[in-house]
Amino acid sequence: MLLYAQPLTRVVQLTIDDLIRDEEDVFLRIGEPPSPVPRPVAALLLDYIAARDNMNTATNRASRWLFPGRRAGRPCRPDHLSALLN
């Protein structure tokens, strides 16, 4: 998050569709053009997507949020993500 200087209110609005894979490279769509993600961070991000939290409930199984919240169809709250980061 610090790498792209984005506030958490913007970060929680990202979806998995904002992550673009181009062969070996990964880009994050936070503006135009999409920003490249350094390879070590890209590997962590791709691993995270494969095991996102709050995906086991019936209401969240198809969630496209990068950081899904506990409520169906809603992203994680910025204050909750801040607590996790701390």
Side-chain angles (χ1 to χ4, degrees):
M1 270 107 303
L2 295 174
L3 184 63
Y4 298 106
Q6 297 295 306
L8 287 178
T9 54
R10 169 69 176 113
V11 171
V12 297
Q13 296 295 321
L14 293 171
T15 67
I16 58 175
D17 300 320
D18 291 320
L19 194 68
I20 304 163
R21 294 184 204 179
D22 181 23
E23 296 178 19
E24 294 181 13
D25 298 320
V26 176
F27 298 88
L28 189 58
R29 187 180 305 128
I30 53 176
E32 286 299 323
S35 300
V37 179
R39 288 193 182 181
V41 176
L44 290 172
L45 195 52
L46 294 173
D47 288 345
Y48 166 77
I49 288 173
R52 289 178 293 157
D53 289 339
N54 299 326
M55 297 300 291
N56 292 329
T57 62
T59 56
N60 260 353
R61 289 200 187 274
S63 178
R64 304 299 293 166
W65 297 112
L66 186 58
F67 300 100
R70 291 183 181 158
R71 299 175 98 186
R74 303 290 303 156
C76 178
R77 293 186 338 265
D79 61 326
H80 179 71
L81 186 57
S82 176
L84 291 173
L85 289 171
N86 287 332

